[in-house]
Amino acid sequence: MKNKKFFSNIKSWFLNRWQSNYFRKSFLLILFITSIPGIISGIAIYSFGLSSTENELRKVHLEEIDERAKNIDAQFNYLEESLTYWAFEPTFNYQLITTDFVYEFQTTRDIMQKLMVLEGSQPLINEVDLFIETAKGPVLFTPYLNHIKEGEAQQAYLSLLESSKNITWDHNEEFYQNTEYPSDLILTHQIPGVINSPFGAIVVSIDNEILMRTLETLTPYSNGVTLLMNENNELLFSTETASDNSFTNKLVSMFSSEDVTDRSFQIDWNDKTYSVSYGTFDRVGSEWTYVSAAPISAITTPIITISKVILIASLTVLGLAFLLTWFASNRLYQPIRNLASSFTPTNSSSAKGTKDEFKQIRDRIDMLTSESEQLEKRITRQIPQLRQNFLIQLTKGFLYDFDEKALKRRMENYRWNVDDQSFVLLDIQLTGMCNKDKHTYEDESLIAFAMANIAEDLTKEYLEQYTVLNQYDMTATIFLIVPNQITNVTELLEQLANDITTAINRVLSRYVTITISSKTPKIKDINFLFEEIGRVKRFRDFNKQNQILMLNEVEKEVTGQKLFYPFEMEKEIIQCIRRGRINETEELIRQFFDELLNNSTKEVSVQAGIMQLYSAIQHEILHSGVDPVVLYKGRNMYAELSQLREIEWVVKWLTEQVITPYITFLEDNMNMELKAVVDKIVSYIEEHYMEDISLESCAEYVDTTPYTLSKAFKKVHGVNFIDYLTKVRMTKAKELLLQTNMKINEIAEAVGYRHSYFNRIFKKHVGLPPSQYRKSSASNL
């Protein structure tokens, strides 16, 4: 009885609700929303989402390995170039064929050191060996000296000399079977350099572990495989860890049968889907193919599972949706029923305490409006930073593919008005101190910050639209948007530059170089304005204090200007460095710059001279056997030098940061006793050059062997003993020819030569016979 009454009430309640048109529509709408979209979504995800995801993953895979392959190719190129450089090393000459490496231990040690330096020069290298076919039989430096006595091993190494290629990755099977190299990748270079009859070879073996880690970067997802094959599609290396290498063999067979036509494709293997992409490396004498197989099943499987779950859940819920939708529709209908009953006077009492949904909506809108206003204020505060970021992207070339309309829209989004406007750049560069007695900032970042603030405060008095870019290297650039209605733009900018110069001189006590670019109405040309600024400001005058540079004026001023470089002064500086005289070197550098400035005061000329001098010093450092990278701990010395804008800063930097560490290093690592011996010989030559001097007599004079003296002299001065003696005698001879009336035979005896030999050696070193040299020099005077 109770059940019948319950169902009767349910039926009455349902009919009462169903009579409402709003209830029926909401019921049917909710039923459709809760079931049909789920079914459609599941089908769509499974049909289109999976295919789209796989295609996108293959595309991303190909793009990633192309970029990473460039890095790997660069490492192999560097290895090949380094090996070619070492193959031309003067140490590896034909004298090694007859060298007794046991007796001549110095030569043996030099070879071992060079091999160890080459071995540590590149992370891919596992071991560097040197094979030499000497007169006493083949030897192998590993880097220690080993004599190859086994006939098969000798034939294996001799096959390196029979190859038609000076440098190669390809070797016959005999070489691998009869040698003990753990790696399958071997790079060899015949020595010496490019020659038809080599007597040896440098053998470089690749570290398999490092090569595996390097090649694994070509596989963006875990559990992938990377292959390396030669031009015959033969496997060189694989990162697969499985013992049977079945997947590797599958990939190799695909490429060997030339079934591959697309650079990126999919294959299924062991219930997994792999994205396979490949490319090539151009190696010396051959072409390698790299193959990257990345599993994408881990990414696509959830899509399939989700789509199936959605389909099953949608069909399951369809049965429950009817009942749930009924109750949901009733809940949606209830506020409308309450709202309708509120207009009925008989139900006015029942309407008390009901919620006003429309009031809630109105309150919500008011709250969102308030939040929107707050966000607008925050965006306004971020506009200057967004503008700076846009200009940086523009100058770096990140927006190169954007057309003029797209760039205009972006600038308008940053609240710039670019209609009927032109663009100009004004670059501010701080140089030296103009008031050394006045307090200045010690922190350059504070100086740069103060300079940018001064520029911004003054610029807003002239133009409404501008952006200041603080480079934080004692320079700042002002991006100006100038209305086309202004006709006197040049005068306006010059007045602004003068005001900025005066303010910086007064507040920061610094001299200023301001460079003004040309004007352009195109947004895409703004990048060229930055390039123009960088080019023009290099023509600033070192002797001037405050300067304002403009393109047209600078081009007229530097037209026809010739570059001058004091080579003789450079030689004196190098000689002074060799002798370890830091104070004298600093004074010579100052004289060097005085000569530079006497001939050209433009920064572009002076900077070229500065770079050339540093290059000469670095060449001397390299020539002495010291690695600048190690000496200066990997610092970018050229970048540091290019940032120095004052001669005094350059002199101090060269003395304290370049020369002093080098001389200190030499003093700590060089046999100072030998250096003192060489200095003693140099003094002896200066005093006795007119006598019969020989290497043996000088060695006896300082109580050492001729060999030791020759090596020490070469190491300290960079030239042989006899070349140095000849240079001194030729210098004295030229002085006597020009400054005295002595006869040629008298001059020959005065500098320690016989007359006939003197004429021959003088012409060899000077280019003219002594008599003709005297006449030509006298006519020039």
Side-chain angles (χ1 to χ4, degrees):
M1 193 71 180
K2 291 182 178 180
N3 291 336
K4 184 181 291 187
K5 184 177 181 181
F6 174 78
F7 287 109
S8 176
N9 292 335
I10 291 294
K11 181 179 179 181
S12 175
W13 181 79
F14 177 82
L15 294 175
N16 185 35
R17 295 293 191 274
W18 195 254
Q19 290 176 355
S20 171
N21 186 49
Y22 176 83
F23 180 87
R24 290 196 305 271
K25 289 182 178 180
S26 62
F27 175 84
L28 295 175
L29 179 62
I30 294 174
L31 182 62
F32 177 81
I33 292 174
T34 54
S35 58
I36 303 302
I39 298 174
I40 296 175
S41 300
I43 297 173
I45 291 174
Y46 184 82
S47 301
F48 304 103
L50 179 61
S51 175
S52 176
T53 301
E54 290 177 344
N55 292 335
E56 190 63 23
L57 287 174
R58 288 202 307 273
K59 179 180 178 182
V60 171
H61 182 203
L62 182 60
E63 293 174 352
E64 287 187 2
I65 69 166
D66 283 347
E67 187 64 26
R68 298 175 185 178
K70 292 179 182 178
N71 296 330
I72 298 176
D73 189 42
Q75 294 186 49
F76 280 113
N77 286 337
Y78 178 77
L79 176 59
E80 293 167 352
E81 292 171 1
S82 299
L83 185 57
T84 302
Y85 169 81
W86 281 90
F88 285 90
E89 172 66 28
T91 304
F92 304 141
N93 54 45
Y94 278 103
Q95 294 181 0
L96 297 179
I97 298 177
T98 59
T99 299
D100 187 341
F101 294 104
V102 177
Y103 176 75
E104 300 184 25
F105 64 91
Q106 182 65 34
T107 301
T108 303
R109 189 182 69 173
D110 291 343
I111 292 175
M112 291 169 59
Q113 289 178 346
K114 292 182 185 300
L115 293 179
M116 286 188 288
V117 170
L118 180 56
E119 184 173 319
S121 64
Q122 227 277 354
L124 282 176
I125 296 177
N126 178 52
E127 185 178 11
V128 180
D129 300 337
L130 176 65
F131 168 71
I132 303 175
E133 185 183 9
T134 68
K136 295 183 179 181
V139 297
L140 182 68
F141 285 86
T142 64
Y144 302 101
L145 177 64
N146 296 287
H147 292 275
I148 304 175
K149 298 180 179 180
E150 296 181 5
E152 294 179 349
Q154 290 182 4
Q155 288 300 120
Y157 282 103
L158 288 175
S159 66
L160 300 178
L161 308 185
E162 298 171 358
S163 174
S164 60
K165 301 177 182 178
N166 297 95
I167 179 171
T168 183
W169 291 91
D170 300 323
H171 306 90
N172 55 36
E173 191 64 28
E174 177 189 5
F175 178 79
Y176 288 104
Q177 292 177 352
N178 298 310
T179 57
E180 298 180 356
Y181 291 103
S183 172
D184 292 334
L185 283 180
I186 302 295
L187 176 62
T188 61
H189 199 301
Q190 297 173 348
I191 59 170
V194 180
I195 196 165
N196 294 328
S197 57
F199 66 87
I202 301 175
V203 183
V204 177
S205 63
I206 304 302
D207 191 317
N208 283 344
E209 293 184 2
I210 296 179
L211 179 60
M212 176 175 288
R213 291 196 298 269
T214 302
L215 292 178
E216 284 177 348
T217 62
L218 294 178
T219 306
Y221 313 120
S222 60
N223 300 322
V225 175
T226 303
L227 310 182
L228 199 61
M229 299 184 297
N230 61 18
E231 60 186 359
N232 298 322
N233 290 325
E234 297 173 350
L235 182 65
L236 296 176
F237 196 83
S238 172
T239 62
E240 186 177 9
T241 57
S243 58
D244 56 353
N245 288 334
S246 57
F247 186 43
T248 297
N249 296 333
K250 171 66 176 177
L251 293 174
V252 172
S253 64
M254 291 179 64
F255 282 85
S256 300
S257 60
E258 298 183 353
D259 292 336
V260 179
T261 57
D262 297 328
R263 280 205 61 203
S264 181
F265 57 93
Q266 285 183 202
I267 64 172
D268 295 326
W269 183 262
N270 290 342
D271 299 328
K272 290 184 179 180
T273 300
Y274 288 83
S275 172
V276 181
S277 301
Y278 71 95
T280 58
F281 293 139
D282 288 328
R283 301 270 61 81
V284 288
S286 64
E287 183 181 79
W288 292 357
T289 300
Y290 60 89
V291 182
S292 174
I296 60 175
S297 299
I299 299 176
T300 57
T301 299
I303 298 176
I304 299 173
T305 304
I306 291 173
S307 62
K308 291 180 179 178
V309 169
I310 291 175
L311 284 172
I312 295 172
S314 297
L315 295 173
T316 303
V317 169
L318 183 61
L320 301 175
F322 184 87
L323 182 61
L324 296 177
T325 302
W326 177 269
F327 290 102
S329 299
N330 183 65
R331 295 292 300 272
L332 290 175
Y333 173 71
Q334 192 65 36
I336 304 300
R337 185 169 180 270
N338 293 337
L339 181 63
S341 63
S342 65
F343 291 95
T344 305
T346 56
N347 296 332
S348 59
S349 59
S350 62
K352 294 180 180 180
T354 58
K355 294 181 179 180
D356 188 353
E357 288 78 10
F358 295 102
K359 183 179 182 301
Q360 293 176 351
I361 294 174
R362 185 175 65 251
D363 293 341
R364 182 62 177 170
I365 292 175
D366 292 341
M367 184 182 65
L368 291 175
T369 301
S370 176
E371 292 179 355
S372 177
E373 292 175 352
Q374 294 178 4
L375 289 174
E376 178 68 19
K377 292 179 181 179
R378 293 178 60 184
I379 291 175
T380 302
R381 288 195 298 268
Q382 296 297 324
I383 283 295
Q385 185 63 44
L386 293 173
R387 291 178 173 180
Q388 293 181 9
N389 293 340
F390 171 78
L391 292 174
I392 292 173
Q393 290 178 333
L394 196 63
T395 57
K396 297 297 183 181
F398 298 143
L399 305 178
Y400 181 80
D401 294 330
F402 285 68
D403 57 17
E404 189 74 12
K405 292 182 179 179
L407 292 174
K408 180 180 178 182
R409 285 195 300 270
R410 292 196 63 167
M411 293 190 71
E412 290 173 345
N413 289 337
Y414 299 142
R415 302 181 183 178
W416 268 319
N417 178 21
V418 294
D419 290 330
D420 198 23
Q421 308 281 332
S422 295
F423 311 103
V424 183
L425 296 180
L426 190 147
D427 182 85
I428 307 170
Q429 182 179 28
L430 298 184
T431 53
M433 301 290 296
C434 63
N435 187 0
K436 296 184 179 180
D437 297 330
K438 190 173 181 179
H439 172 73
T440 58
Y441 296 95
E442 295 182 357
D443 191 344
E444 291 188 356
S445 62
L446 293 178
I447 297 176
F449 180 75
M451 173 186 63
N453 285 343
I454 291 172
E456 186 169 1
D457 291 340
L458 292 175
T459 305
K460 65 184 179 183
E461 298 178 3
Y462 287 84
L463 293 169
E464 294 182 359
Q465 298 190 85
Y466 63 90
T467 297
V468 179
L469 295 176
N470 189 349
Q471 309 295 348
Y472 294 100
D473 60 348
M474 309 299 283
T475 63
T477 304
I478 308 176
F479 173 69
L480 302 169
I481 301 180
V482 182
N484 291 335
Q485 293 81 4
I486 299 178
T487 57
N488 58 337
V489 176
T490 303
E491 293 80 0
L492 178 70
L493 295 178
E494 289 181 351
Q495 182 60 43
L496 174 58
N498 287 324
D499 289 350
I500 294 175
T501 299
T502 302
I504 292 178
N505 292 161
R506 185 181 69 256
V507 177
L508 301 180
S509 299
R510 297 278 181 143
Y511 292 124
V512 185
T513 297
I514 295 182
T515 308
I516 302 174
S517 73
S518 56
K519 183 175 65 171
T520 179
K522 295 183 178 180
I523 302 175
K524 288 186 72 67
D525 290 344
I526 295 175
N527 182 37
F528 299 113
L529 296 183
F530 280 93
E531 295 178 0
E532 178 184 298
I533 285 287
R535 184 175 68 254
V536 173
K537 70 180 182 181
R538 296 181 65 231
F539 291 97
R540 77 178 182 94
D541 196 324
F542 263 95
N543 288 340
K544 290 185 180 180
Q545 298 170 346
N546 296 317
Q547 301 175 63
I548 298 178
L549 305 177
M550 301 189 74
L551 178 62
N552 296 334
E553 298 176 0
V554 169
E555 288 180 342
K556 293 178 182 179
E557 188 174 353
V558 300
T559 301
Q561 184 174 342
K562 296 182 179 180
L563 183 64
F564 169 80
Y565 185 77
F567 289 97
E568 293 299 326
M569 187 63 67
E570 177 197 285
K571 295 178 182 178
E572 294 184 26
I573 293 172
I574 298 301
Q575 288 295 330
C576 208
I577 292 174
R578 289 172 180 169
R579 298 178 182 180
R581 301 170 181 173
I582 298 176
N583 294 333
E584 293 182 20
T585 302
E586 182 176 354
E587 185 60 32
L588 287 174
I589 292 175
R590 295 184 191 278
Q591 297 176 21
F592 174 88
F593 287 124
D594 288 341
E595 290 194 24
L596 275 182
L597 293 172
N598 286 337
N599 288 272
S600 176
T601 59
K602 298 301 179 186
E603 180 176 335
V604 63
S605 300
V606 177
Q607 192 72 21
I610 292 172
M611 290 298 178
Q612 176 60 34
L613 176 61
Y614 174 74
S615 298
I617 296 174
Q618 188 181 51
H619 180 269
E620 175 64 22
I621 294 173
L622 288 169
H623 194 74
S624 66
V626 179
D627 188 351
V629 176
V630 177
L631 179 63
Y632 302 120
K633 299 178 181 179
R635 292 162 54 192
N636 189 340
M637 305 299 281
Y638 280 102
E640 292 184 20
L641 183 56
S642 64
Q643 295 297 321
L644 302 178
R645 304 190 183 97
E646 294 299 321
I647 294 299
E648 186 61 29
W649 298 350
V650 176
V651 172
K652 291 295 183 183
W653 186 85
L654 287 173
T655 305
E656 298 173 2
Q657 303 296 324
V658 178
I659 297 172
T660 300
Y662 168 61
I663 293 176
T664 302
F665 181 86
L666 288 181
E667 291 175 350
D668 294 339
N669 294 274
M670 178 180 164
N671 190 332
M672 299 306 295
E673 182 179 352
L674 289 179
K675 186 176 184 301
V677 168
V678 172
D679 290 341
K680 187 176 180 180
I681 292 299
V682 169
S683 300
Y684 182 80
I685 290 173
E686 294 289 342
E687 296 175 2
H688 301 277
Y689 64 89
M690 70 292 295
E691 301 175 4
D692 186 12
I693 299 177
S694 66
L695 178 65
E696 290 74 14
S697 63
C698 288
E700 183 178 356
Y701 174 70
V702 294
D703 194 21
T704 187
T705 65
Y707 174 79
T708 303
L709 178 60
S710 176
K711 296 291 287 185
F713 204 96
K714 176 71 174 179
K715 186 173 184 179
V716 174
H717 286 281
V719 296
N720 296 327
F721 169 84
I722 190 63
D723 292 337
Y724 186 86
L725 175 60
T726 303
K727 179 181 177 182
V728 172
R729 287 175 168 175
M730 291 298 101
T731 301
K732 299 296 183 181
K734 287 190 283 186
E735 291 179 0
L736 293 175
L737 285 169
L738 297 179
Q739 299 176 8
T740 68
N741 294 323
M742 295 174 63
K743 296 180 180 180
I744 302 299
N745 59 342
E746 294 175 347
I747 294 175
E749 295 177 358
V751 295
Y753 290 116
R754 294 190 303 275
H755 180 241
S756 59
Y757 183 69
F758 172 71
N759 288 339
R760 187 165 60 254
I761 197 169
F762 188 91
K763 183 177 181 181
K764 176 181 178 182
H765 285 271
V766 180
L768 297 173
S771 57
Q772 188 175 349
Y773 174 80
R774 172 180 275 174
K775 291 180 181 179
S776 62
S777 300
S779 62
N780 291 335
L781 294 176

